[in-house]
Amino acid sequence: MNEEFKVTPWDVTGKVDYSKLIQEFGTEPIDDKLLERWRRITGSVPVAMQRKIFFSHRDLNWLLDKYEQGEKFVLYTGRGPSGHTHLGHLLPWIFTKYLQDTFDAPLYFQMTDDEKFLNKDELAMKDALGYTYDNTLDVIALGFDPKKTRIFSDVEYSKTLYRISLEVAKRVTFSTARAVFGFDNSTNIGMIFITSMQSSPAFLPSVEARKNVPVLIPQAIDQDPHFRITRDVAPKMGYYKPAAIHCTFLPSLGGSDKMSASKPESAVYTTDDPKTARKKILSAFTGGRVSIEEQKKMGGVPGVCAVFQYYYYLFEEDREKLNQREQKCVRGEVMCGECKQELADRVVRFLEKHQENREKAKDKVQDFIVSDYSALYDRLKKPEDKKEAAKYKKAMKEYYSTRDGDRIAIGKTKELEDK
Amino acid sequence: MNEEFKVTPWDVTGKVDYSKLIQEFGTEPIDDKLLERWRRITGSVPVAMQRKIFFSHRDLNWLLDKYEQGEKFVLYTGRGPSGHTHLGHLLPWIFTKYLQDTFDAPLYFQMTDDEKFLNKDELAMKDALGYTYDNTLDVIALGFDPKKTRIFSDVEYSKTLYRISLEVAKRVTFSTARAVFGFDNSTNIGMIFITSMQSSPAFLPSVEARKNVPVLIPQAIDQDPHFRITRDVAPKMGYYKPAAIHCTFLPSLGGSDKMSASKPESAVYTTDDPKTARKKILSAFTGGRVSIEEQKKMGGVPGVCAVFQYYYYLFEEDREKLNQREQKCVRGEVMCGECKQELADRVVRFLEKHQENREKAKDKVQDFIVSDYSALYDRLKKPEDKKEAAKYKKAMKEYYSTRDGDRIAIGKTKELEDK
């Protein structure tokens, strides 16, 4: 790993050199030829690919071959629910929504609450499950098709996932896992296993269809190590290797790193109220000069400017307008304050709309979430006596429920309660 | 570990020195004072404890304190289903049945098919699940109370167990697991995690009762390493440390090692037909001399005799009669052929009865087995259209069924099929 930056599934630091990352991870760059093919098949190239926000892939040409031969693929992506969702998280999900719409593809969306629980000392299980619910609202708010989308918590879907993950785990040695993830003696034994659970949904479509189903995993590039393992074991399990498409990280408002949950001011969260969001944008690091005079004379530097990056990644889809903004900055024709105010307006508009959809999502959770059933459920259905039923209801409610997330696990018992 | 013998959860070799094992593992011997207390509380001391077949424990006095204070305990034991059951496996289960009857204790019986699958290169998942069913019949045949006994496969009960196992895994570092189990670079990442799943049922009674419940784990001594970890993490999770009672291994018919699945002639399996069982006993290693003359003159050596050990462990409950048998052997008054014939008769009688109960057990499986439900079950109940329902039924049947073990997972769908 390069000394100036570090990219692992749990830690991104330094200024990431994405070309070097392609070499180090051994992925393929998305080149013009591939973009041309994409345009030929789908009719257009999305902005995120034009701008190389999605810049790297594995086996995309193979996937498109399959697609052209009539083998439809399934999308698989996910989220580690250790806190609220920020705009950087939305980036690959928005792209995944585009993929679902364009290719009419089912989506399996995994909430790795087991992994986050294992990896964060201070994170309790209830809180991880609570964030699963919280983050699920953001996914749903983006407009995925409930008929084609399945969102699940690893903990709540473990009857389905664990069995597949055993097939993965049997084929991965400790030395492989250590080489890929850098484990040491103090790593807990859950973290050593957990990549198996992250592989599992890549094989679930094939398990369910009882035949090989191609899978595409849109993801931020830091997740690639997991899927290197998935791809390694796939042929040994008799399945296709999943294809992957990787995006870069939305830069921090404070500079060039990935947004970080440990510095809440470095990112805009979907749960931020408009005032907070505006304040964060107005305090962002820019490519401006020390004084207005100097900026008018020398121009700004969009290349290091977090505000410009926000336009580039999410808030200026029009190529011509983005160019104009860049040129005006370089020529000293626009000051940072104005540029930030305009971005703040756009971010707030986006947030208001998203938060409205997020509220509506609360009534749609049942249409998206799948979770397995505890055997206790069986006893609830056929209680031998009322006292026993009451006991199990209480146990199930308290143990399997989550802070805000009652709907996920407990929805199942609602109908019983009502009886 | 002593160089002359080795005892791990996956491997027992050499002539085991059980006193040394108590020192190495750090357990307590079951002494006369404890036996006296046992007699005071229960009214008698079972043969297996008198003979020090159950010879070691952890926190038994604490457990009896709790019992005397009115806190009833739950029993937890299990089996790694990698083949048919032999008489050596029955030993702790028969004792567990005695404990259930004596203390009116619920029993959680775990089939670690996940662990066996991970640990045996050649064992397929379907076969591990098949052996879970096969071995379940032997457990039921021993006469456990269905109202107080829960038998489960780790794979099929993973929705319930996995969440607890995460709480365990978070608190166990790789270096601890390596020190306890001797893992190396080639160990697969599932095996590193799996001790968490074996800890899980020790906490399940407390999770379900939402208060601390004492647990006693009857087990062969080779399983102790797992429960050292369980006991380490218990206070960190806010639970009681489970107590343990350990038995020695029924010796091999070929000599002094533990019975071994890799040498089928060294053990009598519950599925052996009477002819095969008889042949195995008649070919057993004895403490006899090279000729009848010599044996009459010098006497036999019961101390090294597998046949005598069988009487000692399972086939002569009467202390006086066992003494007489030993004395007659030592004095050269009985020849090995006669002793073996008599044992063979007893083993065959036992087997015939057990196999009869085992057949009957096939109709009782549903009363003992608990398993969680895949989310697919939900779709089966509320199919959106008939074609979809048919597809899921088929997928569920094929994927979740086991060779002989349909009843375990598939019983659940039977009612649906019949509709």
Side-chain angles (χ1 to χ4, degrees):
Chain A
M1 187 61 65
N2 190 292
E3 282 181 33
E4 293 161 42
F5 65 92
K6 192 173 107 178
V7 176
T8 78
W10 305 291
D11 203 13
V12 176
T13 54
K15 181 161 171 52
V16 181
D17 179 333
Y18 291 106
S19 310
K20 273 197 184 160
L21 215 51
I22 283 178
Q23 285 179 357
E24 284 174 7
F25 282 6
T27 66
E28 303 280 327
I30 294 183
D31 57 17
D32 291 347
K33 205 174 144 200
L34 182 52
L35 291 183
E36 213 25 70
R37 186 177 184 195
W38 195 276
R39 185 189 307 279
R40 210 170 59 240
I41 293 172
T42 69
S44 65
V45 174
V47 171
M49 286 174 84
Q50 287 169 27
R51 295 191 184 164
K52 301 286 163 86
I53 294 168
F54 280 81
F55 72 110
S56 154
H57 75 98
R58 290 182 187 272
D59 274 348
L60 253 190
N61 276 306
W62 167 85
L63 188 87
L64 295 175
D65 289 345
K66 289 284 172 193
Y67 182 76
E68 292 193 304
Q69 290 157 18
E71 275 191 64
K72 298 193 75 176
F73 59 82
V74 168
L75 293 163
Y76 157 38
T77 193
R79 155 88 175 130
S82 58
H84 292 300
T85 305
H86 61 53
L87 298 182
H89 300 130
L90 295 186
L91 199 63
W93 307 349
I94 291 169
F95 189 72
T96 301
K97 164 83 166 65
Y98 152 80
L99 292 170
Q100 175 170 81
D101 293 345
T102 304
F103 294 95
D104 187 33
L107 165 64
Y108 288 22
F109 196 105
Q110 176 184 46
M111 295 289 181
T112 58
D113 37 23
D114 51 353
E115 181 236 337
K116 286 299 165 192
F117 167 73
L118 289 167
N119 193 42
K120 303 252 169 197
D121 281 350
E122 70 291 355
L123 191 71
M125 179 63 81
K126 278 202 157 228
D127 295 329
L129 289 168
Y131 284 126
T132 284
Y133 175 74
D134 176 275
N135 297 176
T136 293
L137 298 180
D138 290 303
V139 176
I140 295 172
L142 294 179
F144 288 98
D145 180 348
K147 286 206 166 53
K148 293 198 211 100
T149 305
R150 226 192 257 188
I151 305 174
F152 48 85
S153 135
D154 278 357
V155 172
E156 293 293 340
Y157 207 43
S158 50
K159 171 78 196 271
T160 298
L161 299 178
Y162 181 63
R163 177 164 168 171
I164 303 173
S165 79
L166 291 170
E167 297 273 3
V168 175
K170 188 171 183 174
R171 295 166 170 91
V172 181
T173 64
F174 176 66
S175 67
T176 298
R178 188 179 47 192
V180 171
F181 299 109
F183 296 139
D184 60 31
N185 283 342
S186 69
T187 306
N188 75 54
I189 58 175
M191 282 303 289
I192 295 172
F193 169 73
I194 208 66
T195 193
S196 317
M197 288 293 276
Q198 196 151 337
S199 282
S200 190
F203 304 123
L204 185 55
S206 298
V207 165
E208 289 180 341
R210 291 171 302 132
K211 64 172 187 187
N212 259 328
V213 175
V215 167
L216 172 62
I217 312 179
Q219 62 193 281
I221 186 74
D222 58 335
Q223 296 301 306
D224 183 68
H226 284 299
F227 301 116
R228 254 177 274 160
I229 286 190
T230 314
R231 288 169 51 87
D232 263 7
V233 299
K236 298 175 198 163
M237 290 170 68
Y239 299 126
Y240 291 149
K241 292 182 180 191
I245 183 164
H246 306 110
C247 67
T248 58
F249 310 116
L250 179 64
S252 158
L253 287 173
S256 53
D257 287 2
K258 181 189 175 189
M259 282 183 168
S260 163
S262 57
K263 287 179 250 159
E265 74 283 2
S266 71
V268 174
Y269 288 83
T270 62
T271 48
D272 282 349
D273 61 81
K275 207 175 137 187
T276 305
R278 183 174 295 278
K279 202 172 147 197
K280 285 179 179 178
I281 300 291
L282 296 182
S283 317
F285 178 85
T286 69
R289 303 293 176 176
V290 288
S291 66
I292 291 184
E293 287 70 40
E294 207 168 313
Q295 183 146 353
K296 282 186 178 166
K297 205 165 68 191
M298 304 172 64
V301 187
V304 302
C305 175
V307 172
F308 182 74
Q309 293 299 319
Y310 263 56
Y311 284 112
Y312 186 88
Y313 273 80
L314 284 168
F315 293 98
E316 184 52 87
E317 287 241 324
D318 188 301
R319 187 166 61 169
E320 206 37 60
K321 287 184 182 162
L322 188 74
N323 270 344
Q324 284 166 13
R325 184 174 297 277
E326 190 174 10
Q327 290 310 313
K328 279 170 77 175
C329 173
V330 168
R331 291 196 298 260
E333 293 167 17
V334 63
M335 296 299 110
C336 293
E338 187 189 335
C339 211
K340 287 199 277 196
Q341 283 291 358
E342 206 177 323
L343 178 64
D345 290 344
R346 292 185 190 191
V347 168
V348 164
R349 265 204 307 281
F350 173 86
L351 274 187
E352 281 169 349
K353 182 71 192 154
H354 184 80
Q355 285 168 2
E356 198 186 311
N357 290 336
R358 207 174 178 279
E359 272 307 301
K360 288 182 194 155
K362 289 179 182 173
D363 294 326
K364 298 179 189 168
V365 171
Q366 296 284 23
D367 303 333
F368 286 89
I369 283 278
V370 288
S371 49
D372 297 325
Y373 294 44
S374 148
L376 281 178
Y377 182 67
D378 201 29
R379 305 210 199 172
L380 276 172
K381 281 190 307 173
K382 295 175 191 168
E384 302 212 346
D385 63 59
K386 288 197 170 182
K387 209 174 144 194
E388 193 201 36
K391 196 183 88 185
Y392 283 119
K393 267 185 203 175
K394 208 167 171 191
M396 194 165 171
K397 199 165 179 185
E398 298 203 1
Y399 183 59
Y400 291 102
S401 75
T402 63
R403 213 182 33 182
D404 289 336
D406 272 8
R407 282 153 206 265
I408 293 176
I410 291 308
K412 308 273 192 244
T413 68
K414 266 246 152 59
E415 54 186 284
L416 297 159
E417 301 278 355
D418 296 343
K419 267 177 196 166
Chain B
M1 186 63 62
N2 189 291
E3 282 183 32
E4 292 161 41
F5 65 91
K6 192 173 106 178
V7 175
T8 79
W10 305 290
D11 204 11
V12 176
T13 52
K15 180 161 172 49
V16 181
D17 180 333
Y18 291 105
S19 310
K20 274 196 183 158
L21 215 52
I22 282 178
Q23 286 179 356
E24 283 173 9
F25 281 8
T27 66
E28 302 281 325
I30 294 183
D31 57 16
D32 290 347
K33 204 175 144 199
L34 181 52
L35 291 182
E36 214 24 71
R37 186 177 183 195
W38 195 276
R39 185 188 308 279
R40 210 170 58 238
I41 293 172
T42 69
S44 66
V45 174
V47 172
M49 286 173 84
Q50 286 170 27
R51 295 191 183 163
K52 302 285 162 84
I53 294 168
F54 279 81
F55 72 110
S56 155
H57 75 99
R58 290 182 186 273
D59 274 348
L60 253 191
N61 276 305
W62 167 85
L63 188 86
L64 295 174
D65 290 346
K66 289 285 171 193
Y67 182 77
E68 291 193 305
Q69 290 157 17
E71 275 191 63
K72 297 193 76 176
F73 59 83
V74 167
L75 294 162
Y76 157 38
T77 192
R79 156 87 175 129
S82 57
H84 291 301
T85 305
H86 61 53
L87 298 182
H89 301 130
L90 295 186
L91 200 64
W93 306 351
I94 290 169
F95 188 73
T96 302
K97 164 82 166 69
Y98 153 79
L99 292 170
Q100 174 170 82
D101 293 344
T102 303
F103 293 95
D104 188 32
L107 165 64
Y108 288 21
F109 195 105
Q110 177 184 46
M111 296 289 183
T112 58
D113 36 23
D114 50 354
E115 180 235 340
K116 287 299 165 193
F117 167 72
L118 289 167
N119 193 41
K120 304 251 169 197
D121 281 349
E122 70 291 356
L123 191 70
M125 179 62 83
K126 278 200 158 231
D127 295 328
L129 289 167
Y131 283 126
T132 285
Y133 176 74
D134 176 275
N135 297 175
T136 293
L137 298 180
D138 289 304
V139 176
I140 295 173
L142 294 178
F144 288 99
D145 181 347
K147 286 205 164 55
K148 294 198 209 100
T149 305
R150 226 191 257 188
I151 305 173
F152 49 85
S153 136
D154 278 356
V155 173
E156 292 293 341
Y157 207 43
S158 50
K159 169 78 196 270
T160 298
L161 299 178
Y162 181 64
R163 175 163 169 173
I164 303 173
S165 79
L166 290 170
E167 297 273 2
V168 175
K170 188 172 183 173
R171 294 165 170 92
V172 181
T173 64
F174 176 66
S175 67
T176 298
R178 187 180 48 192
V180 171
F181 298 109
F183 296 139
D184 60 31
N185 283 342
S186 70
T187 305
N188 74 55
I189 58 175
M191 282 303 289
I192 295 173
F193 169 73
I194 208 66
T195 193
S196 317
M197 287 294 276
Q198 195 151 336
S199 282
S200 188
F203 304 123
L204 184 55
S206 298
V207 166
E208 289 180 341
R210 291 172 300 132
K211 64 172 187 186
N212 258 329
V213 175
V215 168
L216 172 62
I217 313 179
Q219 62 191 281
I221 187 73
D222 58 335
Q223 296 301 306
D224 183 69
H226 283 300
F227 301 116
R228 252 178 275 160
I229 286 190
T230 313
R231 287 169 51 87
D232 263 7
V233 299
K236 298 174 198 163
M237 292 170 67
Y239 299 126
Y240 291 149
K241 292 181 179 191
I245 183 164
H246 306 111
C247 68
T248 58
F249 310 115
L250 179 64
S252 157
L253 287 172
S256 53
D257 286 1
K258 181 187 175 189
M259 282 182 167
S260 163
S262 56
K263 287 179 250 158
E265 73 284 2
S266 71
V268 174
Y269 287 83
T270 62
T271 47
D272 282 348
D273 61 82
K275 206 174 139 188
T276 305
R278 183 174 293 279
K279 200 172 149 199
K280 286 179 179 178
I281 300 291
L282 297 182
S283 317
F285 178 85
T286 69
R289 303 293 176 175
V290 288
S291 67
I292 291 184
E293 287 69 39
E294 208 167 312
Q295 182 146 353
K296 281 186 179 168
K297 207 164 70 190
M298 303 172 65
V301 187
V304 302
C305 176
V307 172
F308 183 74
Q309 292 298 318
Y310 263 56
Y311 283 112
Y312 185 89
Y313 272 80
L314 283 168
F315 293 98
E316 185 52 87
E317 286 241 325
D318 188 301
R319 185 165 62 166
E320 206 40 58
K321 287 184 184 163
L322 188 75
N323 270 344
Q324 284 166 15
R325 183 175 298 278
E326 188 173 12
Q327 290 310 313
K328 279 171 78 175
C329 173
V330 168
R331 291 197 299 262
E333 292 168 18
V334 63
M335 297 299 108
C336 293
E338 187 188 334
C339 212
K340 288 199 278 197
Q341 282 292 357
E342 207 176 323
L343 178 64
D345 289 346
R346 293 185 190 191
V347 168
V348 165
R349 265 202 307 280
F350 173 85
L351 274 188
E352 281 169 349
K353 183 70 192 153
H354 185 79
Q355 285 168 2
E356 197 185 311
N357 290 336
R358 207 173 178 280
E359 273 307 301
K360 287 183 194 155
K362 290 179 181 172
D363 294 326
K364 299 179 189 167
V365 171
Q366 295 284 23
D367 304 334
F368 286 90
I369 283 278
V370 288
S371 49
D372 297 325
Y373 294 43
S374 149
L376 280 178
Y377 183 67
D378 202 30
R379 305 209 199 175
L380 275 173
K381 282 190 308 173
K382 295 175 191 168
E384 302 212 346
D385 64 59
K386 287 198 172 182
K387 208 173 146 194
E388 193 201 34
K391 195 183 88 184
Y392 283 119
K393 266 186 202 175
K394 207 166 171 190
M396 194 165 171
K397 199 163 179 186
E398 298 202 2
Y399 183 59
Y400 291 102
S401 77
T402 65
R403 212 183 34 181
D404 289 336
D406 271 7
R407 280 153 206 265
I408 293 176
I410 291 309
K412 309 276 192 238
T413 67
K414 264 245 151 63
E415 54 186 282
L416 297 159
E417 300 278 355
D418 295 343
K419 268 177 196 164

